[in-house]
Amino acid sequence: KNQVEQSPQSLIILEGKNCTLQCNYTVSPFSNLRWYKQDTGRGPVSLTIMTFSENTKSNGRYTATLDADTKQSSLHITASQLSDSASYICVVSAWGGFQKLVFGTGTRLLVSP
Amino acid sequence: GAGVSQTPSNKVTEKGKYVELRCDPISGHTALYWYRQSLGQGPEFLIYFQGTGAADDSGLPNDRFFAVRPEGSVSTLKIQRTERGDSAVYLCASSAQGGTVTDTQYFGPGTRLTVL
């Protein structure tokens, strides 16, 4: 069964600090891996996308890594801001003629002043 | 509009009733998806439309759930004989094509369905 697991479930950090979120997956056939940010009451918004051959991808203060051999990914947030408070969801796409997204349960991040 | 919109934003109904949830995708997007997000969980795939046809409906939990997209734009998710377990946020997403490796899905804000 295709699965995506994330850790930690929740995280509290002080504004300005860095943090790293983890994702492990078993999805086949693998197409790509994305990190989404979901604010409360809103739909998810894509932050980064990586295909099989990509090891790292940055988007501003967000840097994602992918190890396709161990099927692990991480999302590093640098110099956190209050607006970073949200759920961060690791989403792995299984290719079946279209992007069939398999979502993790997310990490709920709270950035405290 | 600029993004995917969904109506209503909230829907409260009684067990056994019929509900319809509407999704307006980004103009020009041929691919449309429905997901269901239960409390504390990530979204789960329900159905994928390419144009007017349902290309993959393997995520629909049972035959009480049905979705249409008659003109290849707006889509309606229909739930018959609602049950309390159907309570969730129903998310709609659209993408430009649907058939490429890096095709990006853009999500609407969701409809929160509560079945009493």
Side-chain angles (χ1 to χ4, degrees):
Chain A
K1 180 182 177 183
N2 288 335
Q3 284 187 317
V4 177
E5 296 180 344
Q6 292 186 242
S7 62
Q9 284 189 324
S10 61
L11 183 62
I12 302 174
I13 62 173
L14 292 175
E15 184 178 12
K17 297 296 186 182
N18 304 335
C19 66
T20 300
L21 314 180
Q22 302 291 342
C23 172
N24 298 318
Y25 64 91
T26 53
V27 175
S28 179
F30 178 86
S31 177
N32 59 64
L33 184 147
R34 301 170 188 267
W35 283 91
Y36 276 83
K37 178 184 179 185
Q38 185 173 25
D39 293 307
T40 300
R42 309 288 292 273
V45 175
S46 180
L47 295 174
T48 63
I49 174 175
M50 289 178 291
T51 58
F52 184 86
S53 59
E54 296 177 292
N55 302 118
T56 186
K57 185 70 70 76
S58 291
N59 178 3
R61 296 180 295 102
Y62 302 103
T63 299
T65 65
L66 173 64
D67 185 334
D69 291 330
T70 62
K71 298 184 179 178
Q72 296 180 326
S73 175
S74 66
L75 179 69
H76 187 73
I77 304 175
T78 304
S80 61
Q81 300 176 357
L82 297 179
S83 60
D84 292 334
S85 296
S87 288
Y88 291 84
I89 307 175
C90 177
V91 184
V92 182
S93 181
W95 180 250
F98 68 100
Q99 300 298 328
K100 194 165 188 177
L101 303 186
V102 183
F103 288 75
T105 55
T107 292
R108 183 171 293 277
L109 175 66
L110 176 62
V111 180
S112 176
Chain B
V4 178
S5 61
Q6 293 185 244
T7 55
S9 55
N10 281 283
K11 176 70 177 178
V12 179
T13 190
E14 293 179 343
K15 178 183 174 183
K17 298 292 186 182
Y18 168 83
V19 297
E20 291 189 350
L21 312 180
R22 177 188 168 107
C23 172
D24 283 81
I26 293 173
S27 179
H29 278 189
T30 61
L32 185 144
Y33 314 78
W34 283 98
Y35 295 85
R36 179 168 69 174
Q37 186 170 22
S38 301
L39 189 64
Q41 302 293 317
E44 294 181 309
F45 169 79
L46 295 177
I47 187 169
Y48 157 63
F49 284 92
Q50 183 59 255
T52 60
D56 187 324
D57 63 359
S58 61
L60 295 178
N62 52 60
D63 61 6
R64 295 186 298 104
F65 288 75
F66 190 70
V68 296
R69 195 185 185 200
E71 298 179 358
S73 178
V74 171
S75 176
T76 304
L77 178 66
K78 308 180 180 191
I79 310 175
Q80 298 177 318
R81 304 183 305 279
T82 52
E83 300 177 357
R84 293 194 179 87
D86 298 335
S87 297
V89 174
Y90 289 82
L91 292 167
C92 175
S94 72
S95 67
Q97 298 173 325
T100 62
V101 172
T102 55
D103 187 55
T104 295
Q105 296 180 26
Y106 297 88
F107 284 81
T111 293
R112 179 175 297 279
L113 175 66
T114 303
V115 182
L116 301 177

